[in-house]
Amino acid sequence: MYAQMVTSEATNDDPAKLVAFQARIDAGEKIEPKDWMPEGYRKTLIRQIGQHAHSEIVGQLPEGNWITRAPTLERKAILLAKVQDEAGHGLYLYCAAETLGVSRDELTEALLSGKMKYSSIFNYPTLTWADMGAVGWLVDGAAIMNQVPLQRTSFGPYARAMVRICKEESFHQRQGYDIMMKMAFGTPAQKAMAQDALNRFWYPSLMMFGPSDKDSVHSAQSMAWKIKMNTNDELRQKFVDQTVPQAEYLGLTIPDPAVKWNEDKGGYDFSEPDWSEFFEVIKGNGPCNAERLEARQKAWDDGAWFRDGLMAHASKRATAKVAAE
Amino acid sequence: MTTKADLDKALFEGLCRLGDSTLVLGHRVSEWCGLAPVLEEDIALANVALDLIGQTQLWLGLAAEVEGKGRDADELAFRRDVWEFRNLLLVERPNGDFGHTLMRQFLFDAWHQPMLKALEGSGDSRIAGIAAKAGREVAYHLERSADLVIRLGDGTEESHARMQAALDRLWPYTGEMMAGDSTDAALAEAGIMAAPDSIRPVWDALVAEVLGEATLKAPESTFMHKGGKQGQHSEHLGHMLATMQWLQRAYPDATW
């Protein structure tokens, strides 16, 4: 899940309009940018889509960390294509957010100032090549759990962006699992790297769904608006149920002795992640928070002359065109 | 008289010159991942890098086939040391600022595109086929890099100064692209590859036109570095290979 703990915004709109709006949502209609919408709906969506977009952009960094060290030409090409997809996802999502009245530059500034967040998962380091497998398998796998239902979300541009994103994400997950297979069935050193990657990414992947939201009023509002489609706990359970047999196939051990099939609920039991760690990461104290934001800030600052140069050239051209007419 | 063995040796060299140049430039471009000045450039750079890595697979794959020693493209890319690389010195230049990266790309594309065009007429159909496929991709690379050089050269005072500085720094590495040696001569004579100096008129005209529109000035010095095509590189290449080849070298018995 690339948007975590998105609190929905309060709304002070005309009650009659709110009722009519809710009726449209309940009837399964898509809300389009020019339609009336409650202020809270608009603001919550900006926050959620923005956080999702930022996650795609920051998410380039942990994988970019291995593009220059990819072990074969084919692996290098696949990883490049994957990271390129992520930049593309960021682009569609920023465009979807723009239809709600916020510019990409404003969102970028909010990311860099720390006002907006990105997914906690990208604050963990990628230490071995097996991490490229684990990120695709677990991180993209968790993202898909959340994003597949979002194809049915009530806001049209977001739902449509998600259709395209989901297609690409499922390719990412498959390539991640493919790397894991090569590693798990490879030399003893490769297998050790694969297990180590699973050990490090297991709990952070579970954290991607956010803390249990069963008592959260905000979640209830987002679910009524069909901005959020499932509870965090439902998605986390689904993810564990999908992933445990995949780990077994690989001959790898989930780093949680409590993982056990529970016949009654028809799913696996498992331990909760350490939520105090999660809140520290969200606050900025994860292993890579500082590096990730520094890298984005540097890219933005170093690129200022480039963006200014293009703008200056465009305005020169426009002036020349007017003069010629 | 050139024997078939001599010609194959020259052909292996010639193919490594092409494949190593696309590999090294593709690698350099991929170093920008996630760090470009604007999202559209992240996407465009990844595209260029992907094309170049794809071309590398074809050129080095053919080189390995011609060599006939059971190696493949990956083995050539990941298991040769610096002195065995045959890439142009221009493409191993470090990225520098985004202006350097773009200028390096343009100076290379302005050679790469006409070279591939010429290779489409190769007497070796395998080379002609790769050149036709790569040529379609590189036509787009050239369009993009030329356009950006023009816009930034004729942008702000700062963007102009940065592009001029990049041009001054990279210019002495351009001559090698058009300088032939005995390997090039043998391949040209056999009708397999175009002689490097045959690209000169097109390159000169294209570069002059773009630099003119960009309000940039080519340096007057005619001094040119050379040696990359013969395996004599700058210090930068070794560091790149240390990164690129590390996994293959550290775990030689693994498959990936």
Side-chain angles (χ1 to χ4, degrees), chain B residues 59 86 133 138 143 176 185 190-191 193 207-208 212 215 221-222 235:
Chain B
W59 291 128
R86 295 291 181 262
K133 183 187 178 295
V138 170
E143 193 184 316
E176 190 189 14
M193 284 193 186
V207 169
T215 70
S221 165
T222 54
E235 290 177 348

Side-chain angles (χ1 to χ4, degrees), chain A residues 133-303:
Chain A
V135 166
W137 172 35
L138 301 173
V139 174
D140 294 322
I144 291 169
M145 282 295 159
N146 177 246
Q147 290 170 7
V148 166
L150 283 176
Q151 295 177 96
R152 292 179 283 110
T153 190
S154 60
F155 187 56
Y158 193 27
R160 289 188 290 271
M162 216 49 76
V163 170
R164 183 146 171 204
I165 289 174
C166 281
K167 278 190 197 141
E168 293 175 347
E169 289 291 352
S170 75
F171 150 71
H172 297 172
Q173 196 198 11
R174 278 203 304 278
Q175 71 82 34
Y177 197 69
D178 186 61
I179 292 176
M180 284 314 273
M181 287 202 289
K182 275 278 184 200
M183 300 299 282
F185 302 133
T187 64
Q190 283 176 300
K191 182 161 187 179
M193 278 188 255
Q195 182 63 56
D196 174 62
L198 174 57
N199 293 350
R200 283 181 289 107
F201 276 95
W202 175 253
Y203 284 114
S205 299
L206 295 187
M207 290 177 199
M208 287 175 70
F209 299 96
S212 179
D213 53 5
K214 52 183 180 282
D215 305 319
S216 164
V217 184
H218 294 298
S219 278
Q221 175 62 78
S222 282
M223 286 181 79
W225 278 336
K226 294 189 186 164
I227 292 174
K228 188 176 166 83
M229 309 297 287
N230 303 84
T231 69
N232 295 348
D233 291 324
E234 279 164 16
L235 293 169
R236 188 169 14 250
Q237 181 70 52
K238 227 174 137 185
F239 173 75
V240 171
D241 292 346
Q242 173 185 289
T243 307
V244 171
Q246 293 172 339
E248 282 168 0
Y249 175 78
L250 294 171
L252 300 178
T253 309
I254 303 273
D256 173 8
V259 166
K260 201 171 155 253
W261 178 254
N262 180 333
E263 197 62 56
D264 295 337
K265 73 172 181 187
Y268 287 91
D269 289 331
F270 57 93
S271 305
E272 288 281 309
D274 175 359
W275 291 112
S276 63
E277 177 182 317
F278 172 78
F279 287 111
E280 286 299 333
V281 174
I282 293 278
K283 264 196 289 184
N285 295 325
C288 300
N289 293 61
E291 280 97 329
R292 300 290 186 245
L293 271 185
E294 275 163 18
R296 289 311 310 165
Q297 183 75 54
K298 185 172 188 308
W300 185 247
D301 294 346
D302 289 355

Side-chain angles (χ1 to χ4, degrees), chain B residues 160-230:
Chain B
H160 176 85
R162 283 176 183 266
M163 296 312 284
Q164 185 63 54
L167 180 61
D168 293 347
R169 191 77 178 80
L170 294 169
W171 189 254
Y173 297 95
T174 56
E176 190 189 14
M177 297 190 284
M178 273 83 62
D181 63 6
S182 59
T183 299
D184 294 313
L187 292 169
E189 197 175 317
I192 297 173
M193 284 193 186
D197 58 2
S198 69
I199 306 301
R200 168 68 75 184
V202 188
W203 190 86
D204 280 347
L206 194 57
V207 169
E209 186 196 327
V210 170
L211 294 185
E213 227 185 303
T215 70
L216 297 171
K217 258 186 84 151
E220 279 168 18
S221 165
T222 54
F223 173 77
M224 292 291 159
H225 293 283
K226 54 181 191 285
K229 283 162 57 168
Q230 291 80 26

